[in-house]
Every structure is written in structure tokens, then in C-alpha cells.
Amino acid sequence: GGIFVSDDGGLVKIDHTIVADNTCGTAYLDGNGGGIAIRGKTGCQDEIDSCLLCRNTAGASGRTSNGGGIALLEKNTDNASVTVRNTTIADNAVLGSGVGGGLYAGKKSVSLVNCLVANNTSEATAGFGDADMAYKADNVAPATDHCLVGGDPKFVGDGDYRLTKASPANGAGTTYDGIGVDLDGDAF
């Protein structure tokens, strides 16, 4: 995959990063997190902010891999959290029997704020969630605040993930302390 984080209880922040066209997993080996895989331990407070995750793939036919865009994996996750803000997760895929083409949450306390999660695919049907966002059980369903999950965000197209004027996401976000600029350098 693109980025692998093994957090021992601190803060890891991935900020203003484009993670595109990565693959993890083979016909002989499972792979989680085509774009980003985070395996956090007790007390980790990880953040993904103002990023684009697109065209990443996890898995291979006959294998069980999760999270084409992002895989948030379990590992002693007491008091562990991941916050994803101002991030687009689009056109990612999971092959084989895994789930969560856009995002797979297998850990506690996952929050998404001002995110677009769309046009992701998985070959398998998620027990909880769908092809864009899947999770291990109802009690770990990601919290979403001012997000567009599924549907058509009306991207410009042809690999351009900026929004057209007709996008339902235009002006739909929320403000908070520390909000900054997008990947083009424009203020939110």
C-alpha cells in the first residue's frame, strides 16, 4: 500500500497528502489499506487531514483484504481514535472477499468530518456498511459530521477530484478551530 502506520500510543498526523494508485495484497498474501493502513495500540490519537485518497486497491481474487482507500485495523485499541477531516476518498477498490472499498474500520472511535467518500467498490458484500465504508460491527460504525458518503459528489472528472459548482458538497462542511487550506491552497 501507500502508507503504513503502526502507532504505539502517540499522535500520527497525515496532512495535505495525495495517496494515489497504490496496491497491497497478492494472490498469496492478504493486504489491508491500499492507500493507508493504520494499526494503532492503546491511546493512539491519529489524524488524516486535508488528503486525497484515490485509485488505491487492496487485495486479490481469493484473498481477504480490507480498506481499498483506508484500513483502520485493530490492535489493543482501548482509548484509540482516528479522525479523518476534509478528505476525499474516491475510486478505491477491494478485490476478493474483503470489504470497505473506501474505508474499513476495525477499531473503535473513528470520526469523519467534512469528508467525501464516493465511487468506491468491493467485490464482497459488507456485513456492516457498504462498498464505500464498511466496519467490523455496529459498535464501531464511524461517526460522520457534514460528510457525503455514497451518492454523486459531482467531481470535475478524468482524475480531477475537485468539485463542480453543481456538487451537493459545496458549502456543506462545518468549521472548527484550526481549519486551514485545501490541496489547492484555497482557504476552507
Side-chain angles (χ1 to χ4, degrees):
I3 298 171
F4 176 75
V5 175
S6 182
D7 185 358
D8 285 332
L11 168 67
V12 173
K13 186 170 185 176
I14 301 169
D15 193 5
H16 286 83
T17 302
I18 297 173
V19 183
D21 302 309
N22 297 289
T23 301
C24 67
T26 68
Y28 305 103
L29 182 67
D30 293 339
N32 294 299
I36 298 173
I38 296 176
R39 183 177 61 201
K41 295 183 180 178
T42 299
C44 72
Q45 307 293 313
D46 300 323
E47 298 177 6
I48 299 171
D49 198 347
S50 302
C51 294
L52 169 64
L53 290 98
C54 60
R55 301 180 312 271
N56 298 292
T57 303
S61 182
R63 304 302 302 178
T64 302
S65 301
N66 298 305
I70 302 172
L72 307 172
L73 308 168
E74 302 175 73
K75 181 120 176 131
N76 305 323
T77 59
D78 295 335
N79 301 314
S81 71
V82 176
T83 302
V84 183
R85 285 188 294 266
N86 307 315
T87 292
T88 298
I89 305 167
D91 294 329
N92 300 288
V94 171
L95 306 177
S97 60
V99 295
L103 180 140
Y104 172 77
K107 69 188 301 184
K108 301 175 186 175
S109 191
V110 178
S111 299
L112 284 83
V113 180
N114 297 345
C115 292
L116 299 175
V117 185
N119 304 331
N120 300 287
T121 60
S122 62
E123 292 180 0
T125 302
F128 299 95
D130 58 26
D132 279 311
M133 196 161 57
Y135 36 95
K136 186 171 182 172
D138 271 339
N139 66 334
V140 293
T144 58
D145 180 12
H146 291 82
C147 295
L148 176 64
V149 178
D152 183 2
K154 302 202 182 313
F155 295 127
V156 169
D158 288 330
D160 186 341
Y161 292 94
R162 291 178 294 164
L163 301 174
T164 64
K165 290 182 181 186
S167 174
N170 280 328
T174 185
T175 60
Y176 55 88
D177 287 340
I179 199 163
V181 297
D182 63 18
L183 289 171
D184 285 334
D186 297 325
F188 292 122

